[in-house]
Amino acid sequence: MAGSVQKDQQQVLGIIEQQTFHKEESEGNNNNNTTRTLLESDMAPTQGNSIHRSGSRPQLDVSKAEIQGNVEEKYPTILLPNQSDDLSHLALDIGGSLIKLVYFSRHEDQSADDKRKRSLKERLGLSNRRSYPILGGRLHFVKFETRKINECLDFIHSKQLHCGGLESHYSDGVPDQNGIIKATGGGAYKYADLFKERLGVSLDKEDEMDCLVAGANFLLKAIRHEAFTHMEGHKEFVQIEPNDLFPYLLVNIGSGVSMIKVDGDGKFERVSGTNVGGGTYWGLGRLLTKCKSFDELLELSQKGDNRTMDMLVGDIYGGLDYSKIGLSASTIASSFGKTISEKKELEEYRPEDISLSLLRMISYNIGQIAYLNALRFRLKRIFFGGFFIRGHAYTMDTISFAVHFWSNGEAQAMFLRHEGFLGALGAFMSYEKHGLDDLMVHQLVERFPMGAPYTGGKIHGPPLGDLNEKISWMEKFLQKGTEITAPVPMTPPAGTTGLGGFEVPLSKGSTLRSDASALNVGVLHLVPTLEVFPLLADPKLYEPNTIDLSNHSEFEYWLTILSEHLPDLVDKAVASEGGTDDAKRRGDAFARAFSAHLVRLMEEPSAYGKLGLANLLEMREECLREFQFVDAYRSIKQRENEASLAVLPDLLVELDSMDEESKLLTLIEGVLAANIFDWGSRACVDLYHKGTIIEIYRMSRNKMRRPWRVDDFDDFKKRMLGSGDKKKPSHKRALLFVDNSGADIVLGMLPLARELLRRGTEVVLVANSLPALNDVTAMELPDIVAEAAKHCDILRRAAEAGGLLVDAMINTSDSSKENSSSVPLMVVENGCGSPCIDLRQVSSELAAAAKDADLIILEGMGRALHTNLNARFKCDALKLAMVKNQRLAEKLVKGNIYDCICKYEPAS
């Protein structure tokens, strides 16, 4: 038996090796070490059944490995059930002031590989795409002050990051003396012995410039809206095409400043620098103001007035501009120039004014020198990085002004959201072929976990062991919130409501948060299975968000909507967990955490990057999941599905009695009417409290009088039914992006899918990968289809052909009618867990299904209005929705709440 197991494992290894090397050859890989490190004979000896290697892909555990499908196939699928999902990888940038960490953790949630999914993957040609575990996981960004290096070491030890290093060999969480962690910066030399003594690992030192450039190149090519401009307090995000990135000037502002001309990946040259940088600001500031930390000095500058210290052009010219040479009266003529003529001692000047004047002096000079170097090499694009900037408005404004002034507006200063982590990220990428360089912008999703609105490094260690510890920490944190300028729960004045029960303390509202830079970045989720939807007419022009939240009043309105919806959401979430005391406690903690996010965004809308409404809604769902509310509307969805399935047979009989034209109109009316069942809409929630779902459905159907607010039904009818003797062939495959559970899917979209199937069109139901509000998920759809198929031969035969009934038990009283040639009905997940969908990031399943599709139907507010209303496709597209928000109705279609949208667009 043991010999048989060993033989199976050797067979698995042989197949992996064969597929790995074939992948290298077919992709024309220039560096064969990318995957060969998995299997080379000179790799480290194995422990148990794991393959250890010097590369960075997760270690392969082939114990109980199973070859799925025919072993005679050239590239059969292999399941590795014991592959570890929690390996952590770490890299460091240890500077004179700060230690920056980038660490990677494997994704914990792996989707089930059931028979239905395997059948679908075979049909879509996905079954043989990969033979080894992909680099799916999360990239975390953390920092500590270098003087508190022991806290950093405690953090690394508490998360066992030193045990999972990419170059480490370990057993039972205990590193051996050969463990290696990549590191850069001067501290990699200075503290090497301390890391060896405390953690038992060696620091593999990487060149600082190499790391800075590698980190910057990766961020600018792989993260959407990484770069932004900042002028006079206004932040504007810039999307740069990877093929238009080079050349550029990278200005890294640390203790000193380095200026690097970057011509490509691995192609760069340090062209200049200055010893007047962040260390200068901190050193002089500490001497002049007695501030104990860099952040304290920055916070002082926010309250300062540099006009008391600096000599301005207007001071020289009697308050006038020097227009002849383009100098405004407010331009600084001489930093600290006024102190020459004033007979004051140092203690007579306000520390706040000193701090701001010093900040502007150093920032202005860095900006000027940067521009002169850009001019020297004819570079139009200048990126500034380094923790000196700290996301600080005055710093960025001053640098931007200097570049703009000296270039007469021809050059732009741009800043990076991950400004301080360039070196650490570059060191992380220096692990031998980790796979990051293969990732594209659509494969990274940024998330802002519960701690994001708070104080970054203050909460990073020790890590939270379990959920109860998290809630306990949250409760303690909120009690001390006023001390660290976090949102504080307050009782709103009579007759008013605060944002989610939170208000920002007036005394703290204008101050810089400690560690404000940590608020600008979240956790990067690396999902290699995400792809750009292939049917977008022009992916570069695609913008998912219909509503522009850069408009402050619009942003404030939707934050208020989210806040007002919060109590009802918490009630549903607690009820979904049985209403236990534990569920109530988690519900309260979720409400506090999400409210804190909203307050943070109300203070600074761009704190988390460029957000659309889709991002805000997804943040809410992520926050729910973080407090273990996996499906807040589970019980409601089940009740509504049952009620709707009970009346489906009668609806189908009614439809089958109609002529073709009446039936098509009734089907579209049914989709629009059923779309009213939306627990994400305040207006619809109010309706629920006034009647049963069937009553609401009947009322909604009675309002389906044409013309609708947007009414392209006649054009759609002409395509479907033809006109006169001209009848077009049926669509080959239709993608139906479904929305809510209950009546929406059962009485709306399934009857429409049935009609398409009857006409010979393959149908793919596209649903959420994860729950969001009462949206139906891809995991729930097969059971719903199975129940519906009990009453309909068309649905049954199509579901069987599409593999949907593999795992579902249904009554098949007339199996003689089975038709193996029936067109299939399939279900794919869309790759997201939000009420909205961004078609730049969809699952590989959906992307594969789309390649043969010639009709898209987007249904519901989230998919057809909030996002994708203006999206153009290569194939025919029908967008159906009932508008359930008055403001949205006015802005999008100049209409009213409950107006209907039937927007048909032929293939572009």
Side-chain angles (χ1 to χ4, degrees), residues 215-227:
N217 285 347
F218 169 73
L219 291 168
L220 289 167
K221 288 193 290 185
I223 300 179
R224 189 173 285 113
H225 301 131
E226 170 66 24

Side-chain angles (χ1 to χ4, degrees), residues 845-899:
E845 280 184 15
L846 174 52
K851 287 173 184 173
D852 293 323
D854 50 3
L855 173 64
I856 293 171
I857 300 179
L858 287 157
E859 180 242 355
M861 290 258 291
R863 292 154 187 81
L865 292 186
H866 290 313
T867 55
N868 301 308
L869 180 63
N870 302 319
R872 299 306 301 258
F873 300 96
K874 296 176 183 176
C875 65
D876 293 351
L878 180 66
K879 300 166 186 178
L880 301 169
M882 177 183 282
V883 191
K884 289 155 289 190
N885 175 278
Q886 180 61 37
R887 185 184 179 103
L888 202 64
E890 292 170 0
K891 291 191 80 70
L892 295 186
V893 294
K894 295 182 171 59
N896 295 302
I897 193 167
Y898 304 128
D899 276 346

Side-chain angles (χ1 to χ4, degrees), residues 234-282:
H234 177 68
K235 181 184 288 187
E236 185 170 329
F237 290 92
V238 180
Q239 184 59 35
I240 300 164
E241 292 301 320
N243 57 5
D244 189 38
L245 174 60
F246 306 111
Y248 67 84
L249 186 70
L250 176 62
V251 182
N252 188 65
I253 313 173
S255 298
V257 182
S258 286
M259 302 194 184
I260 308 163
K261 178 176 175 281
V262 183
D263 293 305
D265 290 317
K267 299 176 183 177
F268 64 90
E269 176 188 3
R270 186 183 187 276
V271 294
S272 186
T274 171
N275 57 356
V276 179
T280 313
Y281 175 60
W282 191 351

Side-chain angles (χ1 to χ4, degrees), residues 483-531:
E483 298 175 19
I484 46 179
T485 72
V488 185
M490 301 178 69
T491 303
T496 65
T497 55
L499 187 64
F502 286 75
E503 292 181 4
V504 182
L506 294 178
S507 61
K508 302 287 183 180
S510 62
T511 63
L512 178 77
R513 288 164 179 267
S514 59
D515 202 10
S517 57
L519 304 173
N520 293 318
V521 297
V523 175
L524 287 180
H525 289 231
L526 280 57
V527 191
T529 52
L530 290 181
E531 299 184 26

